[in-house]
Amino acid sequence: MQSRIPPHARTGGRPRNAAADTAILESTRQALVELGWSKLTLGDVATRAGVAKTTLYRRWAGKSELVVDAVAELFDELELPDRGSLAADIEGVVLQFAALLGRPETKTALMAVVAESTSDEPLRERIRTSIVDRQKRLVLAGRKRAQERGELPPEPDPAAAGRTADLIFDVIAGAVVHRALVSAEPVDEDWAARFTLLLLGGLAAAAAGPEASTAP
């Protein structure tokens, strides 16, 4: 796994050490699974990673920021598969996303930072920029590929295209996270196929525009 430099991490005079970053983020995820949010400390993470605690403080202001970046590195593993059609691509990324959410380190870390962010606006913004905005790349890539195949119409208005991309991301992420983490129900091939059918029906309606729903 490639180490991702946290976008909000502190920078100092010394060059970053990619190996240390990787060890720190991996140790953070391990500690969360074993200790939980309340008992997790930067000192424990430093010990596990084999680095000085000052190394962590040079990169992250505190526990919340560190955990967000540890989660973000996991989500960076997601890739958009090319399975030959928009429907198959969506099913593939949904199953991949669900498998990622099923990993103990992802589940524990994600639910911890989301819970903390309810009363921490800077943390909520960090989640938005480090995880949500970064993963919208999958929607943008999938839509572009589908438009090149002729499966989706072009969207010449950048503002409208941006709103559509946000909506697609919200629908997919919201449904899969709720199914996997809140309802604790399986996200299997059958569910992914039925969800994709529903999503594609909504995309067709969105492409037709709001005036279509009011037409006689």
Side-chain angles (χ1 to χ4, degrees):
M1 181 191 304
Q2 292 183 336
S3 176
R4 184 177 68 82
I5 296 176
H8 300 288
R10 294 178 175 182
T11 56
R14 296 184 182 181
R16 296 189 65 88
N17 184 324
D21 285 350
T22 297
I24 289 167
L25 296 177
E26 175 62 28
S27 296
T28 300
R29 294 188 289 266
Q30 291 175 353
L32 265 173
V33 173
E34 295 176 20
L35 303 175
W37 174 272
S38 62
K39 295 182 180 179
L40 177 71
T41 66
L42 266 63
D44 181 74
V45 171
T47 299
R48 290 168 182 258
V51 301
K53 189 157 62 172
T54 53
T55 301
L56 271 73
Y57 282 110
R58 281 198 300 269
R59 290 160 165 76
W60 292 276
K63 179 166 71 173
S64 298
E65 292 84 354
L66 174 60
V67 173
V68 169
D69 288 334
V71 177
E73 186 176 63
L74 291 176
F75 278 90
D76 281 346
E77 296 178 16
L78 293 173
E79 296 179 353
L80 180 71
D82 188 349
R83 302 173 72 181
S85 71
L86 177 58
D89 290 354
I90 293 172
E91 290 174 25
V93 81
V94 163
L95 292 170
Q96 188 184 154
F97 183 30
L100 178 62
L101 292 177
R103 290 162 56 176
E105 63 269 30
T106 312
K107 183 188 308 182
T108 304
L110 182 62
M111 295 187 80
V113 293
V114 169
E116 287 297 309
S117 72
T118 58
S119 57
D120 188 336
E121 179 57 35
L123 177 58
R124 193 178 306 121
E125 177 62 23
R126 191 182 183 94
I127 292 171
R128 186 180 302 116
T129 57
S130 297
I131 300 176
V132 175
D133 289 348
R134 286 180 62 84
Q135 298 315 314
K136 285 179 182 177
R137 64 188 170 83
L138 300 171
V139 172
L140 298 175
R143 181 176 61 184
K144 182 175 184 292
R145 184 188 293 165
Q147 288 171 339
E148 291 170 348
R149 290 175 180 149
E151 296 174 291
L152 289 177
E155 293 180 87
D157 181 354
R163 289 193 296 270
T164 301
D166 287 347
L167 184 58
I168 294 169
F169 180 87
D170 289 344
V171 170
I172 294 175
V176 177
V177 168
H178 188 279
R179 176 82 177 176
L181 299 186
V182 180
S183 298
E185 295 287 345
V187 178
D188 53 22
E189 292 186 4
D190 176 67
W191 187 90
R194 289 186 291 111
F195 169 73
T196 299
L197 266 177
L198 183 66
L199 178 63
L200 290 178
L203 283 174
E211 64 277 1
S213 63
T214 58

